[in-house]
Amino acid sequence: MAKGLERRKFLIYSSAALGTSIFLKACGGANNTNTTSGADTIKVGILHSLSGTMAISETTVVEAEKLAIEEINAAGGVLGKQIEAIVEDGASDWPTFAEKANKLIDQDQVVTVFGCWTSASRKSVLPVFESKNHMLWYPVQYEGQECSKNIFYTGAAPNQQIEPAVDWLLENKGKEFFLVGSDYVFPRTANTIIKEQLKAKGGTTVGEDYLPLGNTEVTPIITKIKQALPNGGVIFNSLNGDSNVAFFKQLKGAGLTPEQYPVMSVSIAEEEVRQIGKEFLIGHYAAWNYFQTVETEANKKWVADFKAKYGADRVTNDPMEAAYIMVYLWKQAVEKAGTTDNLDAVRMAAIGQTFDAPEGLVTMNANHHISKTVRIGQVRDDGLFNIVWSTEGAIKPIPWNQFVPATKGFACDWSDPNKGGKYKI
């Protein structure tokens, strides 16, 4: 969120620039059910923050989506047409995301949108996509507790990132946790899950604190950490955006080393390490499904292709990879359905799609989330991650959390109209 956005306005939207469009001709997409595709191209929308506090993370996601679109177009496009991508800037401001979503659907008549990072931005556009029966592909790990017919989620559900990270920390780093997060729906919901998980598994939450997105006043939080964990302990970090810059710099300045105060982050990846400065993060941890250091042939090719396009000094990361593969999953669904305009047909065709992703084989489940391998990495001297733990294979996604009493026992299945977004198992 932009630093000037008032806290009241922010909380309203979290709980529920490029001012002009950039056209990428070598791209393709599907149209709204009430529109028809152009004669020569298929329009898709790209909606991310290219300015404001979240630009540190989202700019690279746009680059990954563009790369996928260019590759698809170079290989012949989709259903014989080229993809035309219309890029809009959400500007780290949640009402702006909703406005741009409306524009992309109604004015530009795109057939799908690839977009959002924060759950606050996703929550702000969700009513737009549901009221218009349109389609959003969302590439970032999130807090779960949602399963919309109109969204495909290619980042991790909590059981594919947060929960395994907590289990690993309990086994390897300690049982006392201090929770730090940005003040919006993802960190607060994630920490609700973590607290329930710790209670169930013998851990303790010794403290919990939040910062508004874009806020860099982290000294009070570090003081609270030292008071709550005088002899060291685990810091679970769900800060987003450039608040992380101040947090890690002041953490090191205060002498809270990763040996005594290991930080596990769920929104810090290779790009953020590069921009914050690796010297402030070496030794700390992150939980993701993909790291640049993953040893697969698909990853070697993708990293090489990304660097060839954007620069040899650039890095790849999990949200970028999830953004890249979701374009291909959409393409495959459209080709199976044989249409871009019938979004209900495309949605059904997406279920069961597989892709040989850089992270490994992924599969789109009937709950509109994908099966993913879980990995934990430790920041090393070159700013990349040494993978210290991973699951043996892909883990099926569970959107409705099974630690939280209100959602325990519920599941989602969009392949069955009698089940839908939330049904009792």
Side-chain angles (χ1 to χ4, degrees):
M1 172 171 69
K3 295 182 180 179
L5 186 63
E6 296 177 1
R7 180 180 178 81
R8 175 180 60 82
K9 182 178 177 184
F10 169 78
L11 289 175
I12 289 171
Y13 279 91
S14 66
S15 64
L18 295 185
T20 58
S21 301
I22 301 171
F23 291 88
L24 180 64
K25 275 292 181 185
C27 305
N31 256 345
N32 187 339
T33 52
N34 296 323
T35 68
T36 56
S37 301
D40 302 316
T41 63
I42 300 169
K43 291 182 181 179
V44 302
I46 292 178
L47 177 57
H48 291 288
S49 295
L50 298 173
S51 59
T53 190
M54 289 308 304
I56 185 176
S57 297
E58 292 191 68
T59 300
T60 58
V61 173
V62 173
E63 292 173 336
E65 290 162 1
K66 286 182 175 182
L67 178 60
I69 290 170
E70 289 183 5
E71 290 175 353
I72 292 168
N73 282 338
V78 179
L79 298 180
K81 294 185 179 182
Q82 295 285 286
I83 306 171
E84 179 185 344
I86 301 173
V87 183
E88 291 289 351
D89 180 12
S92 305
D93 176 73
W94 321 140
T96 299
F97 268 90
E99 292 169 8
K100 297 295 188 179
N102 272 301
K103 173 190 176 292
L104 287 167
I105 296 169
D106 293 338
Q107 181 177 324
D108 299 308
Q109 298 188 335
V110 301
V111 295
T112 196
V113 176
F114 305 107
C116 300
W117 176 296
T118 67
S119 289
S121 62
R122 190 191 71 256
K123 291 289 189 184
S124 74
V125 303
L126 179 59
V128 176
F129 285 91
E130 291 190 335
S131 67
K132 298 177 184 295
N133 194 29
H134 216 276
M135 184 186 298
L136 171 70
W137 292 75
Y138 176 66
V140 184
Q141 48 76 23
Y142 82 121
E143 71 284 355
Q145 309 299 64
E146 178 181 294
C147 195
S148 174
K149 181 186 80 170
N150 300 91
I151 300 180
F152 287 92
Y153 310 77
T154 60
N159 74 300
Q160 298 170 309
Q161 185 197 35
I162 294 169
E163 293 173 29
V166 170
D167 286 340
W168 185 85
L169 289 165
L170 286 170
E171 184 176 343
N172 294 280
K173 295 298 175 180
K175 297 188 180 298
E176 294 186 321
F177 283 55
F178 194 104
L179 311 180
V180 180
S182 297
D183 195 1
Y184 71 101
V185 63
F186 164 61
R188 286 192 173 273
T189 307
N191 287 343
T192 296
I193 293 169
I194 291 168
K195 287 182 288 186
E196 292 293 338
Q197 185 178 356
L198 290 175
K199 278 193 276 183
K201 300 203 169 187
T204 305
T205 305
V206 300
E208 180 179 4
D209 211 347
Y210 299 89
L211 278 177
L213 270 171
N215 190 302
T216 57
E217 297 298 323
V218 299
T219 301
I221 290 181
I222 292 174
T223 299
K224 291 177 185 178
I225 292 172
K226 293 171 72 174
Q227 291 172 345
L229 294 169
N231 300 313
V234 174
I235 302 170
F236 203 102
N237 171 38
S238 53
L239 290 170
N240 262 277
D242 51 15
S243 296
N244 276 301
V245 179
F247 178 70
F248 279 98
K249 287 184 177 180
Q250 291 192 37
L251 198 70
K252 183 176 182 180
L256 275 63
T257 65
E259 293 76 24
Q260 192 176 9
Y261 293 90
V263 178
M264 176 67 75
S265 297
V266 289
S267 293
I268 291 285
E270 289 87 342
E271 180 64 20
E272 287 77 19
V273 172
R274 186 175 78 95
Q275 296 202 37
I276 293 169
K278 62 185 180 182
E279 64 271 23
F280 301 106
L281 290 119
I282 292 171
H284 290 298
Y285 299 89
W288 293 103
N289 308 110
Y290 166 87
F291 292 103
Q292 184 174 309
T293 48
V294 168
E295 291 288 337
T296 66
E297 290 303 315
N299 186 45
K300 291 175 184 176
K301 181 180 186 305
W302 184 57
V303 171
D305 291 346
F306 185 86
K307 287 177 176 288
K309 180 171 178 60
Y310 294 110
D313 63 331
R314 296 296 304 279
V315 293
T316 57
N317 66 28
D318 183 288
M320 293 163 61
E321 191 254 8
Y324 175 82
I325 66 177
M326 72 185 182
V327 180
Y328 275 96
L329 289 168
W330 165 81
K331 167 189 178 288
Q332 291 175 190
V334 166
E335 290 175 339
K336 180 180 179 181
T339 177
T340 59
D341 297 337
N342 186 338
L343 299 191
D344 286 331
V346 174
R347 275 189 282 267
M348 289 303 296
I351 296 172
Q353 291 295 329
T354 63
F355 186 71
D356 185 17
E359 68 181 81
L361 184 69
V362 300
T363 304
M364 180 60 69
N365 287 241
N367 58 22
H368 287 190
H369 296 66
I370 62 176
S371 298
K372 302 170 76 71
T373 300
V374 185
R375 297 177 171 96
I376 292 173
Q378 185 177 30
V379 182
R380 62 192 199 189
D381 292 350
D382 62 357
L384 299 180
F385 285 84
N386 180 41
I387 299 172
V388 299
W389 179 86
S390 68
T391 56
E392 291 186 5
I395 303 300
K396 287 185 176 294
I398 303 175
W400 299 113
N401 192 262
Q402 301 304 297
F403 284 106
V404 177
T407 53
K408 186 175 182 179
F410 286 94
C412 169
D413 184 348
W414 286 111
S415 69
D416 185 344
N418 295 317
K419 294 179 178 178
K422 190 175 184 182
Y423 71 95
K424 190 73 174 178
I425 299 172

